[in-house]
Amino acid sequence: MSTSTQLASERLSSRQKGILFAGMTSIVAAGSFTTLAGLLTTEFVEDIGWGVDAIGPGIAINMLFYGLTAPFAIYFMRRYGIAKVANTALMLLIAGSTAILFPMPLLFNLVWGFVIGIGTGCLTMAYGSLIVKTWFPSRQGVIAGFLVASSVFGQFALLPFWSEVMQFFSWRAPLIGSAMIATSAIIINLVFLKDAPAADQIRTDDVAPTAAAPRPLGGLYEELLHGLVGAMQSRIFWILALLFVICGATTNGILWSHFTMAAMICGLTVTAASSVLLLIGVFNVFGTTLSGWLTDRVDVRTILAVVFLVRGLMLLWLPSILIGVFDARIVTFAIIFGIMDVATVPPVIAICNRIYGEQGPAIFGWVNAFHQLGAGMMAFSGSMIWLVFGSYDPLWYLSGVLCLIAVAFVFTSSYRPASTPLPAAT
């Protein structure tokens, strides 16, 4: 095949472009909800007079369901159709944001914890992994990069905008705005994903040339829990789980929970600290897209090792530059850390799909749950470190060392399918 013919064959079809657009929009919509808790907490405490402890349970439950919902959502998407479940999740987000407009602590805890937690959990990168596996099997890395970048955009790029909107209007404005994005995502899904059949209804001759025909689905246990049990018997699963525990601990676990406070203690303003996080979010988009592109071309071990190594060095450098001055060094940290922040996701998605086949998206959902576990553990540990040492420096050093340990674990497997397949669902 000539080079021009090969490039032409790799171009996305119109339907694939529509599916990618729909997936990105849904992920942006969910991402816009995931980081609203910080803004809402500030307003609830300052304007309404609630205590942080009064709404903390809802935020904790939200994080739990954000991590645990994904594997179950993947099962229902494969059984009943991706668009149906995605739109149901988006409707949960709309309903939840509407309920929170009426400020009552108990209502907030229940809605933010369960309704918003489940809604966003259905549209994590496990959902993106299923899109990649279903419609883009030959270009998994680069498409995963686009979808991860969408998640980052929803989480970080919109946050400063919501903050400004809230200053001019009220804390209700970001909720209404996020609900409007979710409504737009539903409309886009209806246009571009309306013909996407459920996995157990697809015939071989219905499938696009780039996609493999899935087998009929079994029950929840056979497809989800049995698949998890089978994956847990492979060493690769536990390597990926460990890597994602460390990944979550050294990203969400420290930046979302402790960076702003640490920066303020060192003398930076809230605006300066937020600017650092914004830079990290902006360069996240570049990093995840580049990581996805490289995943299709480079050994995944090289990508993961470089990401953890550079991230670790940046964290070990942080205590010496977080000194209350917003200078070129802290900007350099934000740019480099941002590029490495979520760059682990595209290669791990590709590994799960390569190793576990049809169960790859669900297995990635379980692996991603370990990411949230690591984030929660480090968020709690950071608070304890501050209480014991009176400084966040030990937290940065601990995080950096964990990243260097992850580099060694990356090379404990070749991440190739075993000669003996995993137990099949019965």
Side-chain angles (χ1 to χ4, degrees):
M1 180 182 294
S2 65
T3 303
S4 60
T5 304
Q6 184 176 1
L7 289 174
S9 66
E10 292 179 352
R11 293 181 185 141
L12 299 181
S13 66
S14 297
R15 186 181 183 217
Q16 286 178 315
K17 291 177 182 178
I19 291 168
L20 179 60
F21 178 52
M24 292 173 66
T25 306
S26 295
I27 290 175
V28 167
S32 69
F33 281 89
T34 57
T35 50
L36 277 185
L39 288 179
L40 295 176
T41 298
T42 302
E43 292 300 306
F44 288 159
V45 171
E46 294 182 354
D47 291 354
I48 304 179
W50 294 358
V52 175
D53 56 335
I55 54 180
I59 296 174
I61 294 172
N62 178 282
M63 293 183 65
L64 176 64
F65 276 87
Y66 180 81
L68 293 179
T69 299
F72 296 90
I74 294 301
Y75 168 80
F76 288 111
M77 285 179 181
R78 293 184 63 214
R79 174 166 287 280
Y80 300 109
I82 295 176
K84 291 179 181 178
V85 178
N87 285 337
T88 300
L90 291 167
M91 285 188 285
L92 284 176
L93 297 178
I94 296 170
S97 60
T98 301
I100 295 173
L101 295 177
F102 304 93
M104 292 180 286
L106 178 59
L107 180 65
F108 174 85
N109 283 308
L110 292 175
V111 172
W112 194 264
F114 295 98
V115 179
I116 302 296
I118 292 173
T120 55
C122 289
L123 299 172
T124 64
M125 270 313 300
Y127 161 69
S129 176
L130 182 60
I131 291 177
V132 169
K133 181 67 177 176
T134 303
W135 283 292
F136 306 94
S138 62
R139 305 184 68 181
Q140 295 190 33
V142 67
I143 300 300
F146 286 138
L147 294 172
V148 175
S150 301
S151 178
V152 171
F153 178 84
Q155 293 172 359
F156 287 97
L158 289 175
L159 193 58
F161 174 74
W162 293 144
S163 179
E164 290 297 319
V165 168
M166 190 166 60
Q167 297 302 318
F168 284 98
F169 299 99
S170 71
W171 57 267
R172 291 181 173 88
L175 287 168
I176 296 172
S178 295
M180 292 175 64
I181 296 176
T183 302
S184 300
I186 291 175
I187 296 172
I188 293 171
N189 283 344
L190 292 174
V191 173
F192 293 107
L193 292 182
K194 61 181 179 180
D195 295 326
D200 58 349
Q201 298 173 346
I202 297 178
R203 303 189 312 271
T204 302
D205 55 355
D206 289 330
V207 183
T210 57
R215 59 175 172 78
L217 288 174
L220 181 64
Y221 170 77
E222 289 81 1
E223 288 296 325
L224 188 59
L225 300 182
H226 185 84
L228 174 63
V229 171
M232 290 173 64
Q233 297 176 24
S234 65
R235 184 164 59 96
I236 291 177
F237 175 85
W238 292 110
I239 294 173
L240 295 177
L242 176 62
L243 292 177
F244 256 37
V245 166
I246 296 176
C247 184
T250 56
T251 52
N252 298 2
I254 54 176
L255 292 184
W256 289 7
S257 302
H258 300 294
F259 179 81
T260 300
M261 181 63 68
M264 292 175 59
I265 291 171
C266 292
L268 287 178
T269 64
V270 175
T271 300
S274 299
S275 298
V276 174
L277 293 179
L278 176 60
L279 279 173
I280 291 175
V282 169
F283 282 91
N284 252 320
V285 176
F286 172 75
T288 52
T289 304
L290 176 62
S291 174
W293 183 83
L294 290 173
T295 296
D296 293 328
R297 296 163 174 81
V298 180
D299 186 352
V300 291
R301 293 178 299 179
T302 301
I303 301 172
L304 291 172
V306 170
V307 169
F308 278 115
L309 176 62
V310 176
R311 185 193 297 174
L313 294 177
M314 288 296 102
L315 289 169
L316 293 174
W317 186 41
L318 184 58
S320 64
I321 64 174
L322 195 60
I323 55 175
V325 179
F326 190 80
D327 57 11
R329 293 177 300 171
I330 197 69
V331 171
T332 301
F333 166 84
I335 292 173
I336 297 177
F337 192 91
I339 293 172
M340 302 298 160
D341 188 22
V342 197
T344 56
V345 175
V348 172
I349 287 177
I351 291 170
C352 289
N353 288 338
R354 176 192 305 166
I355 301 298
Y356 304 110
E358 291 179 20
Q359 295 178 344
I363 299 302
F364 174 77
W366 289 116
V367 171
N368 198 51
F370 281 91
H371 187 281
Q372 291 302 107
L373 175 64
M377 291 171 59
M378 187 58 85
F380 177 79
S381 299
S383 300
M384 295 299 101
I385 287 174
W386 165 250
L387 289 174
V388 173
F389 295 97
S391 169
Y392 277 110
D393 287 356
L395 177 64
W396 312 133
Y397 290 127
L398 173 62
S399 300
V401 170
L402 286 174
C403 287
L404 299 183
I405 292 173
V407 174
F409 277 100
V410 164
F411 292 99
T412 56
S413 175
S414 62
Y415 306 103
R416 298 187 182 278
S419 55
T420 303
L422 292 175
T426 55

